[in-house]
Amino acid sequence: VASFVGSGRMAPSDPPRPTARILMVDDTPTNLQVLGATLREEGYRLAAARSGAEALSLVPAFRPDLILLDVSMPGIDGFETCRRLRSDPQLADIPVIFLTGRVQPDDVIRGFDAGGVDYVTKPFSAPELLARVRTHLELRRARSDLANLADKLGRYLPQQVYTALFRGERDARIA
């Protein structure tokens, strides 16, 4: 059963914290509880799914900024869940970090080939996981900022200059 967990509320004296939305996907309730407690302390808004199919149905409504995805689950495994996310243009840019007990190098490669941006093994180190989450959220924000800037440039620059800039040309001439 999908559930939204935590409000991300902070005490008034706390510094501003992230309000990013993170979807946690794991078929083991204890894993979701431990992961949720770790992320909730950082102020993230959380949702949980206990299967790949449930995650796929929850993503359009929750619109996560990042997904933490187990690999070994009944039904659709994490690799296939990630491939399905990547195949949907509306969801393809959501970073997926695999968080799994599968530690074989072949599994790690399968995770990246499926579209994962990172691979963390269980049991996880909370400081390491949080650093990776922050990094991938910052990368997503930076990509979004660049896309917005490119869109604005496209509206204000002549097409030849805009095209030349994005091709990496050093000189752009206006005809």
Side-chain angles (χ1 to χ4, degrees):
V1 173
S3 60
F4 293 92
V5 185
S7 65
R9 291 191 188 108
M10 302 167 285
S13 61
D14 288 345
R17 293 203 178 211
T19 57
R21 295 175 310 276
I22 298 176
L23 174 60
M24 309 172 298
V25 187
D26 197 305
D27 61 323
T28 306
T30 303
N31 291 346
L32 290 173
Q33 291 171 349
V34 170
L35 185 57
T38 300
L39 296 168
R40 197 174 301 109
E41 285 181 20
E42 297 299 310
Y44 294 113
R45 293 178 19 210
L46 307 174
R50 299 214 19 220
S51 70
E54 185 178 8
L56 291 170
S57 69
L58 185 57
V59 166
F62 184 60
R63 298 298 301 168
D65 297 300
L66 183 132
I67 298 172
L68 294 168
L69 180 61
D70 188 18
V71 171
S72 300
M73 297 180 290
I76 305 170
D77 72 7
F79 297 136
E80 180 60 24
T81 302
C82 188
R83 278 190 285 275
R84 291 185 188 185
L85 288 165
R86 293 291 171 258
S87 71
D88 183 332
Q90 297 296 317
L91 310 175
D93 69 329
I94 301 170
V96 174
I97 298 176
F98 287 103
L99 182 59
T100 180
R102 294 174 73 167
V103 298
Q104 296 301 315
D106 288 347
D107 291 323
V108 176
I109 297 303
R110 282 183 66 199
F112 285 115
D113 286 346
V117 297
D118 213 335
Y119 198 98
V120 178
T121 57
K122 296 176 192 171
F124 64 88
S125 156
E128 177 188 351
L129 178 67
L130 292 171
R132 291 173 187 259
V133 164
R134 278 190 302 274
T135 295
H136 289 291
L137 288 170
E138 288 171 8
L139 285 170
R140 183 169 197 235
R141 250 180 257 121
R143 280 192 303 272
S144 176
D145 290 348
L146 283 172
N148 290 336
L149 179 59
D151 182 53
K152 287 178 185 176
L153 284 173
R155 284 187 260 144
Y156 296 108
L157 292 177
Q159 184 62 41
Q160 298 125 307
V161 174
Y162 178 80
T163 302
L165 282 172
F166 283 94
R167 284 188 187 155
E169 296 173 16
R170 297 181 78 196
D171 295 317
R173 291 182 171 57
I174 300 174

